[in-house]
Amino acid sequence: MRLFVWLARFALLAAFLGLWELAADRKWVDAMLTSRPSQLVSAFRSLAIEGRLWHHAWVTTTETVIGLALSMAVGTAIAVLLWWSAYASKVLEPYMVVLNALPKVALGPIFYIWLGDRYSVYGMAIAISVIVTILMIESGFKEISKSKLKLMESFGATKLQMLRMVLLPASVPNLIATLKVNVGLTLVGVIMGEFLSSKAGLGYMIIYGGQVFQMDMVMVSIAMLAVLSMALYGIVAVAGHVALRRNHYE
């Protein structure tokens, strides 16, 4: 069954690329505006040989990994603080909702002024993913069996002991689920930051290619983004599977 699923996936991709090439060849679409798969192969080879593609892909990958790590660390720490203090959680809840609904792209110019063209990318990446991290992890904390926490409390356990011995270990599946969501969100934040201020990265290549009307460069950059997102998600999925098995969740 799994083999047929993979074959169907590759067949769908091949059909899409074939139709795209045919449409450009038959002039159904303007190849100058949409490019075509055969041109993408040539553009990819040229950019790869020059080294520009690998440089920009590495910049985006580094920014995404750092942004992901920071957003998870900051979001988890804030979620723990909100669990620790029910009063603070109730006070900050409406602000969390508003910040989650706020279009983060509006913060781009502020980050650029505050952080400069380099670090504003990280600011945008963290801004997009950190609120979701807080909400998801805090929600997971609330779903953990209160009877276990009450039992530990009856034996005189401190909140720190309950956090270390029950809350965090029981939250491993939720942390992994949050990490999977944040891979995409952080990558979106990085690309948005590169659109606004960066001088390197795949987002910069997309903007530059659009400005000089090199659609091949734009399409190759988008294809690299797709590969990068799949690779990062795959790494997180494998690491999550290992973590779940080690903690006896599977």
Side-chain angles (χ1 to χ4, degrees), residues 46-61:
S46 175
L47 291 170
I49 292 174
E50 293 174 5
R52 284 194 293 165
L53 182 62
W54 307 125
H55 168 68
H56 291 291
W58 176 251
V59 169
T60 298
T61 302

Side-chain angles (χ1 to χ4, degrees), residues 211-225:
Q211 290 174 342
V212 298
F213 221 74
Q214 293 185 14
M215 293 305 298
D216 295 341
M217 181 184 294
V218 174
M219 294 297 184
V220 168
S221 301
I222 293 174
M224 282 297 296
L225 275 178

Side-chain angles (χ1 to χ4, degrees), residues 23-244:
D25 188 59
R26 296 292 180 88
K27 308 298 182 182
W28 296 341
V29 295
D30 190 343
M32 289 189 62
L33 299 178
T34 63
S35 190
R36 57 200 301 170
S38 57
Q39 290 179 355
L40 294 186
V41 173
S42 176
F44 177 86
R45 186 185 302 112
S46 175
L47 291 170
I49 292 174
E50 293 174 5
R52 284 194 293 165
L53 182 62
W54 307 125
H55 168 68
H56 291 291
W58 176 251
V59 169
T60 298
T61 302
T62 303
E63 291 169 345
T64 303
V65 172
I66 293 175
L68 179 63
L70 290 175
S71 64
M72 285 297 297
V74 173
T76 302
I78 295 175
V80 168
L81 291 175
L82 295 178
W83 169 81
W84 197 286
S85 173
Y87 176 77
S89 177
K90 292 178 180 178
V91 170
L92 296 177
E93 181 180 4
Y95 296 99
M96 292 293 177
V97 173
V98 171
L99 288 174
N100 187 45
L102 180 70
K104 307 305 185 298
V105 68
L107 302 176
I110 297 176
F111 288 138
Y112 181 79
I113 294 172
W114 288 355
L115 304 175
D117 60 347
R118 180 180 178 185
Y119 294 106
S120 61
V121 176
Y122 298 108
M124 183 65 72
I126 295 171
I128 284 183
S129 56
V130 72
I131 302 300
V132 173
T133 302
I134 296 169
L135 295 176
M136 288 186 66
I137 294 179
E138 185 188 12
S139 176
F141 285 169
K142 292 178 180 178
E143 294 175 0
I144 292 173
S145 175
K146 293 182 180 180
S147 60
K148 294 180 181 179
L149 299 178
K150 287 291 184 182
L151 180 61
M152 290 195 68
E153 189 176 358
S154 67
F155 281 106
T158 64
K159 275 202 166 186
L160 182 59
Q161 289 173 323
M162 289 189 285
L163 175 69
R164 181 173 57 86
M165 300 174 67
V166 176
L167 206 66
L168 290 179
S171 298
V172 170
N174 188 44
L175 288 169
I176 293 171
T178 304
L179 192 58
K180 289 180 179 179
V181 171
N182 274 352
V183 168
L185 291 177
T186 306
L187 187 56
V188 169
V190 166
I191 296 303
M192 289 174 60
E194 290 177 350
F195 280 173
L196 293 172
S197 61
S198 181
K199 297 178 181 178
L202 294 175
Y204 167 79
M205 284 188 69
I206 293 172
I207 289 296
Y208 176 77
Q211 290 174 342
V212 298
F213 221 74
Q214 293 185 14
M215 293 305 298
D216 295 341
M217 181 184 294
V218 174
M219 294 297 184
V220 168
S221 301
I222 293 174
M224 282 297 296
L225 275 178
V227 172
L228 175 59
S229 62
M230 287 190 294
L232 291 175
Y233 186 87
I235 292 171
V236 170
V238 171
H241 181 69
V242 173
L244 290 173

